[in-house]
Amino acid sequence: MNGIMNYYNDFKLLITQKEIKRKINQLAKRINADYRGKTPILISVLKGSFMFLADLIRELTIDVEIEFIELSSYGDSTESSGEVSVIKWLSKEIRQRDIILVEDIVDTGLTVSTLLERLEKHNPQSLKVCTLTSKPARREIEVPIHYLGFEVPNKFIIGYGIDYGEKYRNLSEIYYLKNE
Ligand code: IMP
């Protein structure tokens, strides 16, 4: 994509603010029911899932704790390098704890699969995956998704925390790039 992007010419609205809100309500209801009497740790994978996490936890009525993990990003590209390196890891022990990994997108599945493997080594009580979006057409590694927001087409998406070259995270809706 060359030059300055124009919201109207280059982006197409995919998921509205209202749809996101409704979906988060539904996911939160399920999590509230599934974790009744428990205190799960929601691990947000930075940076893309920060907005989703913030909205999701405000709909939770159970006690929760939050943690952040940061991985290397795509940089300015829309293609993954195929490698996942850790920039920031957990700041607390997760042994015997109920863990919900919170992602923005499951694309090839490489990130979630790598994280699940690493988290398992810390012997959590349970380990589930909650993702706002999933692109099944791009999957290379099958990963379990316990809480799914939206299945999205094989397009590069942005907005609601999700970036393109670090930009557009501040948009309240999810768009896709028309020319990708
Ligand atoms: P995976 O390892 O291929 O599943 O990719 C997961 C990560 O790639 C996500 O957490 C995003 O950071 C990034 N990613 C994948 N698809 C998109 C997209 O359409 N827009 C923005 N980032 C994406």
Side-chain angles (χ1 to χ4, degrees):
M1 179 91 35
N2 296 316
I4 299 166
M5 299 236 259
N6 174 311
Y7 283 20
Y8 303 102
N9 292 333
D10 299 324
F11 300 172
K12 180 114 177 69
L13 182 62
L14 186 63
I15 309 169
T16 66
Q17 220 176 334
K18 207 171 158 186
E19 287 169 322
I20 295 171
K21 195 171 166 38
R22 184 151 21 108
K23 187 65 78 176
I24 288 178
N25 274 318
Q26 292 167 357
L27 291 174
K29 272 199 186 119
R30 286 179 51 205
I31 294 173
N32 284 330
D34 294 351
Y35 290 86
R36 223 171 121 185
K38 297 177 176 167
T39 306
I41 305 177
L42 275 70
I43 302 180
S44 159
V45 185
L46 292 171
K47 300 171 194 169
S49 72
F50 82 98
M51 209 178 272
F52 177 41
L53 177 86
D55 283 344
L56 179 66
I57 60 172
R58 277 178 284 188
E59 297 302 323
L60 295 178
T61 51
I62 51 166
D63 285 335
V64 291
E65 295 176 23
I66 60 169
E67 276 288 307
F68 296 96
I69 282 177
E70 186 169 3
L71 304 171
S72 58
S73 75
Y74 282 9
D76 281 349
S77 164
T78 56
E79 278 298 316
S80 168
S81 63
E83 278 171 37
V84 179
S85 59
V86 175
I87 295 171
K88 182 205 176 300
W89 191 243
L90 300 172
S91 61
K92 72 159 70 132
E93 176 71 55
I94 60 161
R95 172 181 285 274
Q96 295 303 314
R97 298 296 306 268
D98 294 301
I99 304 300
I100 306 175
L101 189 64
V102 180
E103 258 287 15
D104 54 350
I105 307 175
V106 180
D107 188 31
T108 64
L110 181 70
T111 306
V112 166
S113 144
T114 307
L115 284 176
L116 288 178
E117 212 172 281
R118 287 187 68 145
L119 292 169
E120 277 294 356
K121 290 193 180 135
H122 294 260
N123 295 315
Q125 178 72 35
S126 66
L127 183 53
K128 298 270 157 87
V129 176
C130 174
T131 183
L132 179 64
T133 67
S134 168
K135 267 191 237 175
R138 294 253 310 160
R139 204 73 90 246
E140 287 170 22
I141 306 172
E142 275 319 308
V143 288
I145 298 178
H146 307 92
Y147 302 100
L148 170 66
F150 304 92
E151 276 195 357
V152 295
N154 189 6
K155 305 260 186 202
F156 195 82
I157 64 170
I158 50 147
Y160 195 73
I162 303 165
D163 75 311
Y164 174 56
E166 290 300 325
K167 285 190 276 194
Y168 315 114
R169 296 191 196 275
N170 55 314
L171 302 178
S172 303
E173 308 82 15
I174 295 176
Y175 297 79
Y176 67 81
L177 299 190
K178 275 188 193 167
N179 299 325
E180 284 295 328

